[in-house]
Amino acid sequence: MTAIDYRHAAPVPQPSRLARVGLWLRDHRRAIMAMQWAVVLIYAVLLIGPAVLPLPPSGAHIWNNLTLLAQFLFWGVWWPGVLISMLVFGRLWCGIFCPEGALSEFAARHGRGRATPRWIRWRGWPFAAFVMTTVYGQLISVYQYPLPVLVILGGSTAAAIAVGYMYGRNKRVWCRYLCPVNGVFGLLSKLAPVHFGVDQQQWNAPVQRPEAMQPFTCAPLVAVKTMKGASPCHMCGRCAGFRDAVELKSRRPDHEVVHVAGETASHWDSLLIITGLIGVALGAFQWSASPWFVTIKQALAGWLIRHDTIWPLEHSLPWFMLTNYPGRNDVLTLLDATVLLSYIAAATAILSVGVALPLALAVRIVGRWQWQRFHHLAHGLIPLAAAGVILGLSSMTVTQLRADGFALGWIGTARFWTLAVAVMASSWLLTRILGRYASGTRQAAASGAAILSVTAPLVGWWLLFWHW
């Protein structure tokens, strides 16, 4: 085998300013790890502190009560901010800041390093975990009380550490397969205008500089050589500059959805977008404000009383199974839980059908039926799905700020324009995707049908924010 003479290799072009950011991330791992542990500390204080304190007294505010402050930061600032960051920077949060990721990788570094079992690698976990976590959070009022937060977020963190300890040496098996928001983050990051791009030709070419061959560990188990999009990448920068082929670069925000998702989209993606982010999420945000929920519950309660069946109206469950805070006059009975689950299920079914049928019609207009085209087209609704979840979470922010006396008269306008921009972005993506399968009149007709898929979610958000 002939050795490469690096002394006479062609000069390597200087990296762009954005590429230098990626190289900085690669070369400053200690600083990044220090920042990760700082986030872990803040996370622990906000998670555990309120759980050991009494519930906030009447008249408490976010500036003088740790429980209210933690509630405001977690649901009003932290999670909406993380979701927005996915749209702007890709999964930079996952690779640089996430406390669960850092703890899981730390445990894996000192753990048993076993092979990942098949049940963990099931591709349906991102959808199933998101739905189960969302619904369970509603049953125990995770947005209102600190102990449910400790159960859900703390339980997720404990599971991340346990999985990291058992499986995958120096890897983030939890993040790759089991994290409840892994699928959501992966979808939103497809719209990010920056990503670590891989030059396949350069990867396969002879390496000009020995320092470009420094090995790296991809913690989220991404096959970097064949990586085409930002969805699985945690943006940690460890692979930056490898073989002079991996570089942090800019791209069109619609590139991955239009040009890559056609090959990678699956039925799990469609389920998460349509049924999860649009259906389950909207139903979960909506039920507590819905007059229909009250009407249905009262009708069922009357029917039970007339049939001398009182126990569903009188019995509840422990707080970790069903909201149960008698001192706050906040108790969900078995009837409440039944109606709550039924409401979310019905809202999910109606919204899913209302979204899926126009998409299916659009697929049929451009040609013979293909499930892959349907799953690809569903990706066009990512902007609307993301805007809905962000607005839903930010409504917690609005509620708390109004309770503390802040005037937020502009919030209705902000919500309107957020949804308007999301609808325009989704309409653009749907049209661009259909342009890959048809042109002219057929593309126009299919686009018109596909854009009708935004109607059902918009009606749901109109009911929540403006009608009720």
Side-chain angles (χ1 to χ4, degrees):
M1 182 175 179
T2 304
I4 299 174
D5 185 357
Y6 294 105
R7 296 172 300 174
H8 302 290
V12 178
Q14 290 299 308
S16 66
R17 186 173 300 177
L18 196 56
R20 287 197 293 271
V21 174
L23 295 173
W24 186 94
L25 294 175
R26 180 197 66 186
D27 297 335
H28 293 79
R29 292 302 307 164
R30 287 192 176 184
I32 290 173
M33 291 177 66
M35 184 163 48
Q36 287 177 336
W37 286 111
V39 175
V40 168
L41 179 61
I42 296 171
Y43 175 74
V45 171
L46 294 177
L47 185 67
I48 300 172
V52 299
L53 294 174
L55 290 176
S58 177
H61 302 281
I62 59 175
W63 55 80
N64 61 15
N65 185 273
L66 179 61
T67 299
L68 292 180
L69 176 64
Q71 181 181 332
F72 173 75
L73 292 177
F74 268 135
W75 307 117
V77 178
W78 188 313
W79 280 109
V82 169
L83 294 176
I84 293 171
S85 77
M86 297 294 158
L87 299 169
V88 180
F89 304 111
R91 300 183 66 166
L92 187 70
W93 164 264
C94 298
I96 306 299
F97 300 104
C98 180
E100 280 194 4
L103 290 169
S104 186
E105 187 176 352
F106 175 80
R109 192 176 304 125
H110 303 282
R112 298 186 177 184
R114 294 180 178 178
T116 307
R118 181 177 296 179
W119 68 268
I120 286 182
R121 291 183 279 113
W122 179 51
R123 295 190 65 189
W125 279 123
F127 169 71
F130 173 80
V131 171
M132 289 188 296
T133 303
T134 301
V135 175
Y136 178 54
Q138 295 303 304
L139 290 173
I140 62 175
S141 298
V142 70
Y143 300 134
Q144 286 77 35
Y145 298 102
L147 286 176
V149 176
L150 183 62
V151 168
I152 290 183
L153 296 185
S156 177
T157 302
I161 295 171
V163 170
Y165 180 78
M166 291 297 297
Y167 307 109
R169 182 71 66 186
N170 294 321
K171 304 295 184 182
R172 295 186 175 191
V173 174
W174 169 264
C175 304
R176 178 68 176 81
Y177 298 109
L178 297 175
C179 174
V181 286
N182 172 49
V184 178
F185 289 172
L187 289 173
L188 269 58
S189 65
K190 293 183 180 186
L191 297 175
V194 294
H195 74 130
F196 277 98
V198 181
D199 186 331
Q200 296 291 335
Q201 184 176 358
Q202 181 63 37
W203 186 290
N204 296 320
V207 179
Q208 300 180 356
R209 301 179 301 113
E211 58 267 28
M213 288 298 293
Q214 292 296 320
F216 67 92
T217 296
C218 182
L221 300 154
V222 179
V224 177
K225 180 179 179 179
T226 57
M227 182 174 67
K228 295 182 179 180
S231 182
C233 175
H234 283 198
M235 302 289 285
C236 64
R238 297 181 216 191
C239 62
F242 186 71
R243 298 187 68 90
D244 293 319
V246 185
E247 177 183 343
L248 183 62
K249 58 178 66 175
S250 61
R251 63 176 184 174
R252 284 176 57 114
D254 64 350
H255 173 79
E256 186 169 347
V257 168
V258 175
H259 299 287
V260 179
E263 301 175 6
T264 62
S266 71
H267 65 284
W268 292 117
D269 294 328
S270 296
L271 280 171
L272 184 54
I273 296 167
I274 299 173
T275 304
L277 289 172
I278 293 178
V280 173
L282 182 49
F285 288 127
Q286 195 184 70
W287 72 269
S288 60
S290 173
W292 301 338
F293 175 86
V294 176
T295 300
I296 295 170
K297 188 180 74 170
Q298 290 176 341
L300 286 175
W303 185 88
L304 290 171
I305 292 171
R306 289 193 299 272
H307 289 78
D308 296 323
T309 307
I310 308 299
W311 60 267
L313 288 73
E314 297 178 337
H315 289 80
S316 184
L317 295 172
W319 65 265
F320 53 86
M321 300 177 67
L322 208 57
T323 301
N324 194 344
Y325 300 90
R328 293 297 175 109
N329 197 28
D330 190 4
V331 176
L332 287 182
T333 64
L334 295 179
L335 175 62
D336 292 323
T338 301
V339 178
L340 186 159
L341 292 174
S342 300
Y343 187 96
I344 294 178
T348 300
I350 294 170
L351 288 164
S352 297
V353 171
V355 170
L357 284 181
L359 296 183
L361 176 60
V363 172
R364 194 62 187 85
I365 289 173
V366 298
R368 62 185 180 86
W369 177 260
Q370 292 184 16
W371 276 109
Q372 190 63 28
R373 290 183 178 179
F374 178 86
H375 302 323
H376 187 193
L377 196 58
H379 276 64
L381 294 174
I382 293 176
L384 181 59
V389 175
I390 292 169
L391 286 176
L393 287 172
S394 65
S395 65
M396 313 301 163
T397 316
V398 173
T399 300
Q400 281 193 292
L401 291 178
R402 281 177 172 165
D404 283 334
F406 289 88
L408 300 175
W410 48 268
I411 197 65
T413 302
R415 286 168 170 168
F416 171 84
W417 283 110
T418 299
L419 288 172
V421 170
V423 167
M424 288 188 286
S426 284
S427 300
W428 166 254
L429 287 176
L430 292 169
T431 303
R432 291 268 291 150
I433 291 169
L434 288 166
R436 291 176 58 86
Y437 306 115
S439 59
T441 304
R442 181 171 289 185
Q443 180 193 4
S447 298
I451 291 171
L452 289 176
S453 63
V454 308
T455 304
L458 285 180
V459 170
W461 290 115
W462 171 75
L463 289 171
L464 177 60
F465 290 141
W466 291 285
H467 185 64
W468 292 334

